[in-house]
Amino acid sequence: HLLDLFLHLQKMYAHTDSAAEVLLEKKGGAGIITLNRPKALNALNLSMIQQIYPQIKTWEQDPETFLIIIKGTGGKAFCAGGDIRAITDAGKVGDRLAQDFFREEYILNNAIGTCKKPYVALIDGITMGGGVGLSVHGHFRVATEKTLFAMPETAIGLFPDVGGGYFLPRLSGKIGYYLALTGFRLKGRDVLKAGIATHFVESEKLPDLEKDLIALKSASKENIADLLNSYHVEAVNSLFFSFSLFSANSMEEIVKKLKQDGSPFAIKQLETINKMSPTSLKMTLRQLREGASMSLQDVLTMEYRLSQACMRGHDFYEGVRAVLIDKDQSPRWKPAALEEVSDEFVDNCFKPLGNNDLKL
């Protein structure tokens, strides 16, 4: 008996161990996805993507599942991004993971964006990069006072991917361009005001909200919206700056506008932009300008091409080294100045990949 028990426990733990990075459970009418790597701030890796995607597809077909909820554990983060370290290691040695990760991540982002069941993301805590891709394309995004939102990719030689080219240019004014190029961090209510969240709820109320969502008997989008509205705390109106300085046809033009403006805000933005990868900045501005009039599917296909261009290039590995590995915060970008990044080089990043293109 003891041996049986031992083997049974071993099997159980082996199973929970591999499944522990993400928990997938059905409660009441809700399918619940819990990102469960609190020590890594719930960063998203390939095995998590490969568990979440088929589960969403299954719940979509299940008549007993009315809605899908996604949340993170640990109280600090919803999801702080993708597993950049693993991608870096893979990209350096030409490992398939550098292709597979982006491909499967974007396929998941598209599944969220086209999900037939209402999808509710509880973005409590840090929500950056890959975490934005798991939330922003869903029907409902609930921010709290603990939410910290950013797309910080230009600082590591990447670009705001996971569909950033779709949602960022669609935010009001030019705030999306500002967030994309500078990696500026929005906190709490500002995430709602920017139009990234659909609702704002106090963090301590989330367990109650979740219980009520699970208990919904016929969960239509309207029912869910009504419930979220009943928890929603109206924002006191505070106006954003005007981000019109970020409205331009080229990065050089944006820099020129900021210099001419000369306000403390503009000077601060110039300082930030000067630290970013010039290649990433040019790639990102074009990504957003083109993405503004594209479908989510076409944006993700474009972004997959860009991701592979970054894997072939220099700045991504240098940015990861400077920010995440050596932490000296002084990346040596190549080329080092905006003027040195040719239109030809940028054009090349956007070229189709033939058989290797992302197909959605």
Side-chain angles (χ1 to χ4, degrees), residues 237-309:
N237 250 347
S238 76
L239 289 168
F240 276 117
F241 286 99
S242 158
F243 296 102
S244 57
L245 294 168
F246 287 85
S247 153
N249 298 335
S250 71
M251 270 316 299
E252 288 87 344
E253 208 178 313
I254 290 176
V255 167
K256 198 173 125 196
K257 279 187 166 184
L258 289 166
K259 280 182 179 155
Q260 283 170 345
D261 183 82
S263 64
F265 171 77
I267 290 161
K268 206 172 146 204
Q269 303 323 309
L270 276 171
E271 277 170 22
T272 301
I273 283 172
N274 276 328
K275 292 190 185 112
M276 302 305 190
S277 155
T279 301
S280 289
L281 289 168
K282 287 206 166 174
M283 212 187 242
T284 298
L285 182 59
R286 174 155 165 197
Q287 170 206 0
L288 266 58
R289 285 170 56 84
E290 296 206 357
S293 58
M294 288 164 103
S295 68
L296 176 59
Q297 290 71 34
D298 289 343
V299 165
L300 290 166
T301 302
M302 165 178 76
E303 291 180 356
Y304 184 71
R305 293 166 185 169
L306 296 179
S307 77
Q308 297 310 295

Side-chain angles (χ1 to χ4, degrees), residues 22-277:
V22 56
L23 310 172
L24 302 162
E25 52 194 336
K26 183 75 194 309
K27 287 187 182 169
I32 301 174
I33 302 164
T34 308
L35 309 173
N36 192 33
R37 297 179 71 200
K39 286 197 182 78
L41 298 176
N42 299 324
L44 185 67
N45 62 28
L46 186 56
S47 88
M48 292 160 77
I49 294 167
Q50 289 170 340
Q51 292 174 69
I52 295 168
Y53 176 79
Q55 187 63 76
I56 287 178
K57 289 296 179 194
T58 304
W59 280 334
E60 242 185 333
Q61 300 305 319
D62 174 27
E64 303 294 300
T65 305
F66 305 127
L67 77 155
I68 297 171
I69 298 169
I70 187 167
K71 59 179 183 165
T73 50
K76 280 207 182 88
F78 165 67
C79 170
D83 195 346
I84 293 291
R85 284 295 285 270
I87 299 163
T88 311
D89 297 343
K92 277 184 190 153
V93 296
D95 186 301
R96 277 206 62 92
L97 175 74
Q99 297 165 35
D100 295 344
F101 181 87
F102 291 105
R103 188 183 295 275
E104 298 195 30
E105 183 182 27
Y106 297 176
I107 289 171
L108 173 57
N109 299 148
N110 184 55
I112 292 165
T114 55
C115 189
K116 292 181 186 72
K117 299 281 162 84
Y119 184 96
V120 183
L122 305 177
I123 53 171
D124 189 30
I126 300 165
T127 305
M128 294 186 185
V132 175
L134 291 177
S135 53
V136 78
H137 304 297
H139 307 104
F140 302 106
R141 288 91 60 191
V142 180
T144 75
E145 72 282 0
K146 290 202 244 166
T147 304
L148 182 64
F149 168 97
M151 294 299 277
E153 287 81 4
T154 54
I156 56 163
L158 217 49
F159 59 95
D161 65 334
V162 297
Y166 182 79
F167 82 88
L168 288 162
R170 284 167 172 77
L171 298 175
S172 62
K174 289 284 168 183
I175 190 170
Y177 289 79
Y178 167 65
L179 295 170
L181 297 168
T182 66
F184 183 81
R185 298 172 169 204
L186 289 175
K187 294 190 180 84
R189 291 183 178 284
D190 287 341
V191 180
L192 175 74
K193 276 182 243 151
I196 291 151
T198 56
H199 293 80
F200 182 89
V201 173
E202 285 153 15
S203 185
E204 58 178 33
K205 299 266 172 65
L206 286 183
D208 291 339
L209 171 59
E210 200 183 317
K211 275 196 200 95
D212 287 349
L213 284 168
I214 289 165
L216 280 176
K217 280 290 166 274
S218 62
S220 60
K221 263 195 205 143
E222 292 71 35
N223 292 47
I224 293 166
D226 288 346
L227 178 57
L228 289 171
N229 290 339
S230 73
Y231 275 87
H232 176 67
V233 187
E234 279 305 327
V236 192
N237 250 347
S238 76
L239 289 168
F240 276 117
F241 286 99
S242 158
F243 296 102
S244 57
L245 294 168
F246 287 85
S247 153
N249 298 335
S250 71
M251 270 316 299
E252 288 87 344
E253 208 178 313
I254 290 176
V255 167
K256 198 173 125 196
K257 279 187 166 184
L258 289 166
K259 280 182 179 155
Q260 283 170 345
D261 183 82
S263 64
F265 171 77
I267 290 161
K268 206 172 146 204
Q269 303 323 309
L270 276 171
E271 277 170 22
T272 301
I273 283 172
N274 276 328
K275 292 190 185 112
M276 302 305 190
S277 155

